């Protein structure tokens, strides 16, 4: 009997001094004292031989001990868990969470889509400089010296070097490619262009274009039309129709502008297409022989087609963005809307 009481006191003293460095050590203590074969559980066996008149008092002592042990071990477990998470919280190299994810810019989404479609048709990517010379932007593209597009109203000139300009269209990349490659040429050229325009909802001093060029033997207008139909249907849906209207560009002959059936009303007429049923999306034509010649390609052997479109224009048709300025303001409330696009 006396030895049971001594044992209780001994264990009680041990419990008061328990320490655990981590959760595993705390669990080992629980097993040592409180599991089925634990030291406190074992006291219950000795309890059977306690005389009846002392059972109450000794029983209470054992229960008290069990309670204290449970509380102490739980305390140790909690302490260990806190220590572990505190260790994580001071990891200064960790990215702060939650990390807001950025979205792709709508113009990038549309550019990638255009480039993707033409890549599947065998076109490869070509790029050229935004700061260009007059030759690549105008002269080699068959613009006459007095062509109005060269005018100060349109082109940004570098004051000290009147020959150095910001390109006003990506057709300059056609010249860059032709001067260094002989046909077959099949390139798609996305990029930023600049025009000296007052900034408004409908015009900006910079915007983006994608140029296409195909030069080989026996390239015909039929090839151009077929590729553009395929592009329009991939971009705007399989029921999309196209229409080509005669037009004029210095670098193509014949030239045309292409419309697609309205993306909203499908041709019936609505406010987007101003009741027309058609939306203009690009300029195109057969590369003028003078352009081939100026860029070192023999027009008696080769023919080619070219086309050019505005990325903002196509993005507007896809997403109905009413104000062009939104594309360059970097307002996250605008950009966030393209998170799933
Ligand atoms: N460069 C023209 C523009 O900026 C677009 C264009 C029209 C490009 C017809 C072409 C083309 O390659 O064939 O408005």
């Amino acid at each position: 009997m006396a030895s049971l009481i001594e044992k209780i006191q001994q264990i009680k003293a041990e419990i008061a001094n328990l320490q655990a460095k981590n959760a595993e050590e705390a669990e080992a203590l629980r097993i040592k004292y409180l599991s089925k074969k634990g030291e406190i559980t074992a006291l219950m066996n000795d309890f059977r031989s306690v005389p009846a008149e002392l059972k109450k008092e000794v029983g209470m002592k054992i229960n008290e001990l069990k309670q204290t042990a449970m509380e102490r071990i739980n305390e140790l477990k909690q302490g260990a868990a806190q220590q572990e998470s505190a260790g994580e919280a001071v990891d200064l190299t960790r990215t702060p969470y939650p990390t807001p994810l950025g979205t792709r810019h709508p113009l990038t989404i549309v550019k990638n889509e255009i480039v993707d479609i033409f890549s599947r048709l065998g076109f490869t990517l070509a790029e050229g400089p935004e700061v260009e010379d007059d030759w690549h932007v105008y002269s080699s593209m068959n613009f006459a010296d007095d062509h109005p597009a060269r005018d100060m109203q349109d082109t940004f000139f570098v004051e000290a070097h009147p020959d150095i300009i910001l390109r006003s269209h990506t057709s300059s990349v056609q010249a860059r490619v032709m001067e260094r490659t002989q046909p077959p040429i099949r390139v798609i050229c996305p990029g930023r262009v600049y025009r000296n325009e007052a900034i408004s909802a409908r015009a900006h001093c910079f915007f983006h274009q994608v140029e296409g060029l195909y030069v080989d033997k026996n390239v015909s207008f039929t090839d151009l039309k077929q590729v553009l139909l395929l592009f329009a249907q991939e971009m705007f849906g399989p029921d999309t129709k196209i229409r080509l209207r005669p037009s004029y560009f210095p670098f193509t002959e014949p030239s045309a502008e292409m419309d697609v059936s309205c993306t909203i009303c499908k041709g019936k007429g609505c406010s987007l297409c101003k009741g027309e049923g058609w939306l203009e999306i690009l300029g195109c034509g057969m590369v003028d022989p003078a352009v081939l010649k100026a860029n070192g390609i023999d027009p008696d052997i080769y023919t080619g087609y070219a086309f050019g479109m505005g990325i903002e224009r196509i993005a507007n048709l896809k997403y109905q963005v009413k104000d062009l300025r939104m594309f360059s303001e970097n307002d996250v409330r605008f950009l966030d809307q393209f998170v799933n696009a």
Side-chain angles (χ1 to χ4, degrees):
M1 195 18 244
S3 72
L4 180 58
I5 304 259
E6 262 169 34
K7 229 182 197 165
I8 293 173
Q9 269 158 1
Q10 187 203 324
I11 297 178
K12 202 172 170 181
E14 279 176 32
I15 297 285
N17 290 320
L18 286 187
Q19 298 297 341
K21 283 198 213 74
N22 50 41
E24 287 87 61
E25 281 189 24
E27 174 60 10
L29 292 173
R30 188 194 64 77
I31 292 169
K32 178 170 188 238
Y33 291 103
L34 295 165
S35 68
K36 262 190 192 165
K37 290 186 181 153
E39 289 179 26
I40 296 178
T41 320
L43 294 179
M44 295 297 191
N45 300 330
D46 302 339
F47 179 70
R48 283 193 211 111
S49 55
V50 171
E53 69 273 16
L54 293 175
K55 265 202 153 78
K56 191 175 172 200
E57 192 194 328
V58 176
M60 267 168 62
K61 279 194 161 55
I62 295 179
N63 273 339
E64 222 179 83
L65 176 66
K66 198 173 166 186
Q67 193 61 33
T68 317
M70 268 163 49
E71 279 167 13
R72 178 68 193 143
I73 290 171
N74 277 341
E75 237 172 64
L76 291 174
K77 281 193 172 173
Q78 271 173 16
Q82 259 168 21
Q83 242 176 23
E84 275 159 32
S85 64
E88 278 169 31
V90 294
D91 178 358
L92 298 177
T93 62
R94 215 169 97 172
T95 324
Y97 289 101
T99 315
L101 277 185
T103 56
R104 262 193 226 295
H105 193 281
L107 294 179
T108 307
I109 296 172
V110 172
K111 181 203 77 180
N112 288 347
E113 216 173 324
I114 299 170
V115 170
D116 259 20
I117 295 170
F118 284 103
S119 306
R120 278 181 255 134
L121 295 171
F123 286 74
T124 55
L125 210 63
E127 283 178 333
E130 291 177 19
V131 181
E132 259 293 8
D133 50 36
D134 178 277
W135 168 257
H136 291 96
V137 179
Y138 295 126
S139 297
S140 71
M141 286 287 115
N142 203 31
F143 282 76
D145 282 346
D146 55 356
H147 195 284
R150 294 172 186 248
D151 200 286
M152 299 281 257
Q153 319 293 320
D154 229 330
T155 309
F156 281 114
F157 293 85
V158 175
E159 247 173 62
H161 302 274
D163 187 45
I164 307 295
I165 58 180
L166 297 183
R167 68 179 177 196
S168 56
H169 60 175
T170 44
S171 301
S172 56
V173 188
Q174 285 191 35
R176 290 266 165 203
V177 172
M178 284 191 273
E179 72 186 4
R180 61 167 189 252
T181 349
Q182 281 299 304
I185 293 171
R186 238 179 281 166
V187 287
I188 189 89
C189 328
R192 179 174 288 179
V193 299
Y194 301 83
R195 287 184 197 177
N196 195 355
E197 304 240 16
I199 297 169
S200 71
R202 307 177 121 258
H204 210 294
C205 62
F206 63 79
F207 54 99
H208 301 80
Q209 290 186 331
V210 176
E211 191 80 13
L213 175 69
Y214 192 135
V215 186
D216 204 347
K217 287 177 184 152
N218 299 320
V219 177
S220 70
F221 201 94
T222 319
D223 300 327
L224 170 63
K225 202 173 163 186
Q226 189 57 43
V227 160
L228 292 180
L229 174 65
L230 233 140
F231 163 71
Q233 294 187 336
E234 288 282 311
M235 194 76 203
F236 300 109
D239 299 330
T240 309
K241 295 186 178 61
I242 62 166
R243 149 178 115 167
L244 291 162
R245 287 177 287 103
S247 185
Y248 173 78
F249 301 101
F251 35 90
T252 44
E253 180 57 37
S255 304
E257 270 165 314
M258 185 176 97
D259 300 340
V260 291
S261 49
C262 179
T263 47
I264 299 285
C265 67
K266 311 282 174 225
K268 290 192 196 73
C270 68
S271 63
L272 181 69
C273 60
K274 303 201 179 65
E276 290 283 314
W278 296 97
L279 299 161
E280 184 191 319
I281 64 158
L282 56 80
C284 60
M286 298 306 291
V287 181
D288 194 303
V291 172
L292 293 176
K293 202 164 167 210
N295 290 291
I297 291 174
D298 187 344
D300 293 331
I301 306 175
Y302 298 107
T303 49
Y305 64 69
F307 54 86
M309 64 188 103
I311 302 181
E312 279 82 351
R313 170 85 182 140
I314 304 223
N316 276 346
L317 297 184
K318 274 188 91 100
Y319 303 122
Q320 270 92 57
V321 178
K322 296 261 154 39
D323 190 328
L324 261 185
R325 288 170 290 198
M326 286 203 272
F327 287 123
S328 48
E329 274 168 355
N330 282 340
D331 187 330
V332 286
R333 291 169 302 178
F334 171 67
L335 298 172
D336 272 351
Q337 296 175 58
F338 300 92
V339 68
N340 292 318

